[in-house]
Amino acid sequence: MTREFPYAHAPRLPEGDVIDLAQLFTPALPLRPEESLELEIGPGRGWFIFERLEAAPAVRMLGLEIRRKWATIVDDRLRTRGFASRARVFAEDARLALPRFPDASLSVVYVHFPDPWWKKRHQKRLVLGAGLLDQLARVLIPEGKLLIQTDVEERAAAYEALVSAHPAFAPATGTTPRIDDHAYVARSPRERRAMEDGLPIHRLHYRRLSRSSSALPASGEAP
Ligand SMILES: C[S@@+](CC[C@H](N)C(=O)[O-])C[C@H]1O[C@@H](n2cnc3c(N)ncnc32)[C@H](O)[C@@H]1O
């Protein structure tokens, strides 16, 4: 007797070169003018998404979580708690899924405590690298925000060097992307644990510059 692959039916994004994001929700309605769409990369147990939905009634959320188990559990929980019209989590590698998102479709992207590995041999598993960042520049709306949090200072320094050198991003406010706290109200599981344990959290907050003020080519243009 063969044992079924656990979470074989994890929620996956539909096929196609460009995903119609409105179709992911139930009912499949386009965003209303007052609504905005936010993305969390690697939501894990998903608490941030639930808290964000409660705190911001005009926000819809998507999550891309590489672990089938957590994508399934969180997406099921969203549905049973009545959030299917506003939030979904898919079992996807964000690095492969984001290129299929439409241009300028997201108002905020959150990357909370990614990349807990810091040994050299783990380098290729890093989620937040140059390729993903180019995609974030493409899918964020002008003045859209990118929040990155980590408890590894070495990682924060590397992310800061990477994002600050990108022509499409600037600190969300002032001259440094480093912030003591954010105003999104919700907390990710790891963020909450670090706060309870009194551990430092390194936070970087960027805005996506308007297309005219950045040197980044629009989608379809030659690099
Ligand atoms: C250290 S955990 C942090 C979980 C959660 N963001 C938090 O702050 O509590 C990193 C999460 O990112 C997910 N992850 C890692 N690489 C990913 C990728 N390429 N695409 C999507 N999710 C990924 C992991 O499965 C894990 O859930």
Side-chain angles (χ1 to χ4, degrees):
M1 193 170 77
T2 55
R3 216 172 122 238
E4 200 190 346
F5 178 55
Y7 304 106
H9 302 295
R12 302 298 306 271
L13 287 170
E15 311 234 318
D17 291 342
V18 181
I19 299 162
D20 180 349
L21 300 179
Q23 294 295 323
L24 303 177
F25 301 95
T26 309
L29 292 176
L31 287 189
R32 296 191 302 275
E34 69 276 17
E35 282 185 309
S36 58
L37 181 59
E38 303 182 352
L39 169 72
E40 183 178 358
I41 293 178
R45 290 162 195 251
W47 301 345
F48 181 88
I49 293 181
F50 286 96
E51 293 182 14
R52 183 77 187 132
L53 291 169
E54 302 271 8
V59 162
R60 292 197 210 177
M61 296 266 333
L62 290 174
L64 298 174
E65 169 54 57
I66 204 166
R67 292 181 63 195
R68 285 168 171 267
K69 172 180 171 180
W70 285 110
T72 306
I73 290 173
V74 177
D75 194 54
D76 281 351
R77 211 171 271 166
L78 284 166
R79 191 175 49 256
T80 54
R81 294 200 190 166
F83 285 122
S85 63
R86 291 180 56 207
R88 295 293 312 274
V89 173
F90 294 93
E92 301 285 348
D93 182 335
R95 296 168 298 183
L96 303 178
L98 265 190
R100 300 198 291 128
F101 275 47
D103 292 356
S105 50
L106 301 172
S107 59
V108 187
V109 176
Y110 306 98
V111 197
H112 305 303
F113 301 80
D115 307 325
W117 321 277
W118 53 87
K119 293 194 175 129
K120 230 189 170 74
R121 68 176 183 275
H122 293 135
Q123 217 51 15
K124 66 177 185 312
R125 285 156 69 178
L126 289 181
V127 64
L128 191 52
L132 189 94
L133 193 60
D134 279 346
Q135 289 301 323
L136 293 180
R138 187 183 62 76
V139 298
L140 276 166
I141 60 171
E143 297 304 320
K145 302 294 188 297
L146 170 62
L147 176 69
I148 304 165
Q149 308 194 88
T150 177
D151 49 3
V152 184
E153 167 52 32
E154 184 194 341
R155 278 264 172 271
Y159 299 143
E160 185 175 2
L162 180 77
V163 185
S164 296
H166 197 289
F169 291 98
T173 50
T175 53
T176 172
R178 299 261 182 172
I179 54 170
D180 291 335
D181 203 354
H182 61 78
Y184 294 104
V185 182
R187 302 290 183 191
S188 84
R190 193 136 173 171
E191 178 182 12
R192 190 172 297 281
R193 187 155 18 108
M195 291 172 77
E196 284 167 3
D197 293 347
L199 297 174
I201 300 175
H202 312 284
R203 296 182 168 103
L204 304 167
H205 198 210
Y206 289 93
R207 66 193 170 94
R208 203 266 180 238
L209 295 168
S210 63
R211 258 81 182 150
S212 56
S213 59
S214 85
L216 195 83
S219 152
E221 288 178 26

